[in-house]
Amino acid sequence: MTSYVYHYSPLETESSSSMTTQTLQPVLVLLSYGLHQAEKGFNALPGSAVLLRYIRESHRNDPGRTLLEVLLALFAVWTVFQSRRRAAREARNFVKLTEQEVDDLVDEWTPEPLVPELSQAALTAWSKTPIIVGPASSRPRVTNALIDPSLALTPSNPALDPSVLANAKTKEVINLASFNFTLAPSSSSSSSSSGSSSVSSASSAVLITSTGASSNSTSSPKGTAEQPLPGTETAINTLRKYGLGSCGPPGFYGTIDVHLELEKNIASFLGTESAIIYSQGFSTASSVIPAFCKRGDVIVADRGVNFVIQKGLQLSRSTIRWYDHNSLRGPSSSSSPASPSSLVGVLEQLEKEFKRKKTPLTRRFIVTEGLFADSGSLTDLPVLLSIAKRFKYRIILDESFSIGTLGRTGRGLTELYNVPAEEVDMIIGA
């Protein structure tokens, strides 16, 4: 058996390495040129020197952080490409239908009704729902299945034809959704009682601060060129003098002479020292209470006050104490001690706390309504004034419903109890 042994000489090794270098030299030159151009372009960017210095300092201080940032960058690139691959994979798995298959599926589809069929109980409930017939006024006429049985809904007739309402039986009701529900009905004769006429005239006097229909007439009056409606000339002159806008409160367009005149007339009508008008009824109580009551002040309020007053109390951030609705003294007997939940009981507890804690003197208020909007009850104003004077509290009285309703001329709770309006510290209303 013949064996061969081959020996590599150093000359052959050098020649092979030189051939490899010559083969890779164009690639290395191209790579070096590309890196040089990339470095040149990167250095031309604004802030590149700051970024390079940050990378060098970060790598010198914490090499592990550099590795973590490189891994995060690679993960971000992988996530981008992976999402594209997933979208392409889902597109391949999507079943494509022909036009004929789509038309067949549409023909076979049976849509469900948007509104399910009403049950007999629901039809009965809907039949009892009042429907306003005619204009919406302070005393509108309504109808339903209880007033006119022919309007009852049945499974065979689940909808009401509006044309049948013209001949349906109706009933006059009081519109409690309007502030003008206290106006006298238009059908009343001119020989009505003095009380009704006084309420009606008082409502007209304070109509400047409220809105709503004051007539139940089904026809709207129309003027002509020969016989214009009353007040037409005044309206034209007002438009020519002040212009036309979407609203007219002083907070929007500034205070002008009509605003000052209105405040003067309101103060004269109510018998107060002065008056301030606001742009909206909701903003009156919620602005007046926080304006006079601040953090650290004490407010004792009736639990039955309306939502607007409650918001005003919250905005004031004062110390709020509540007493039972319309409970001023508690027990009817004067010899019995006051109930702890009554107004007198709450004020007595506060006096004890002030003396025990040696609280500095702060402003103190009693907030209530004249005619409560939620319950319709009245506040005993003379008793309230005596309690306020006894404990040295100011009174904020909301007469939104009592003005134009109570009193001989509609001046509210103060006129009803024959109490001068100046004795109430603040009267608010809408």
Side-chain angles (χ1 to χ4, degrees), residues 56-228:
R56 292 193 189 97
E57 295 294 335
S58 175
H59 181 71
R60 184 184 302 110
N61 298 333
D62 189 2
R65 179 179 176 181
T66 305
L67 178 62
L68 179 60
E69 292 178 351
V70 171
L71 293 177
L72 289 176
L74 295 176
F75 178 75
V77 174
W78 177 83
T79 303
V80 172
F81 283 100
Q82 187 68 16
S83 60
R84 294 183 177 179
R85 293 178 182 176
R86 187 181 300 108
R89 193 183 308 113
E90 293 177 355
R92 288 195 301 268
N93 296 333
F94 183 74
V95 178
K96 296 182 179 180
L97 301 177
T98 61
E99 294 293 336
Q100 183 63 33
E101 291 174 339
V102 172
D103 294 338
D104 294 340
L105 290 176
V106 172
D107 295 337
E108 296 175 0
W109 177 62
T110 303
E112 296 182 357
L114 297 178
V115 179
E117 295 183 0
L118 296 177
S119 61
Q120 185 60 41
L123 291 173
T124 304
W126 279 110
S127 300
K128 297 179 181 180
T129 303
I131 303 174
I132 298 179
V133 180
S137 61
S138 60
R139 295 177 181 268
R141 304 196 70 86
V142 299
T143 184
N144 56 14
L146 298 178
I147 301 174
D148 192 344
S150 63
L151 302 179
L153 301 178
T154 59
S156 59
N157 184 26
L160 183 63
D161 187 2
S163 61
V164 303
L165 296 177
N167 300 322
K169 297 180 181 179
T170 60
K171 180 181 179 180
E172 187 182 76
V173 296
I174 297 177
N175 184 9
L176 295 181
S178 169
F179 281 169
N180 293 334
F181 61 84
T182 55
L183 294 180
S186 59
S187 59
S188 60
S189 61
S190 58
S191 60
S192 59
S193 61
S194 60
S196 300
S197 61
S198 64
V199 171
S200 178
S201 63
S203 300
S204 302
V206 297
L207 195 58
I208 49 180
T209 59
S210 61
T211 59
S214 60
S215 175
N216 196 32
S217 175
T218 57
S219 62
S220 300
K222 297 180 180 180
T224 61
E226 294 77 12
Q227 294 181 350

Side-chain angles (χ1 to χ4, degrees), residues 235-250:
I236 294 175
N237 295 334
T238 302
L239 289 175
R240 289 176 176 173
K241 179 179 180 181
Y242 300 102
L244 180 65
S246 58
C247 55

Side-chain angles (χ1 to χ4, degrees), residues 300-305 322-332 339 341-346 366-385 387 397-398 406 413 417:
V300 181
D302 191 298
R303 292 187 183 275
V305 294
W322 302 91
Y323 65 92
D324 290 346
H325 174 53
N326 227 4
S327 177
L328 302 181
R329 289 179 174 173
S332 57
S339 173
S341 58
S342 65
L343 176 59
V344 175
V346 173
I366 298 176
V367 179
T368 186
E369 295 183 61
L371 175 59
F372 284 86
D374 298 336
S375 61
S377 56
L378 294 177
T379 297
D380 193 340
L381 186 58
V383 175
L384 180 65
L385 289 173
I387 295 175
L397 182 65
D398 186 355
L406 304 178
L413 198 66
Y417 285 103

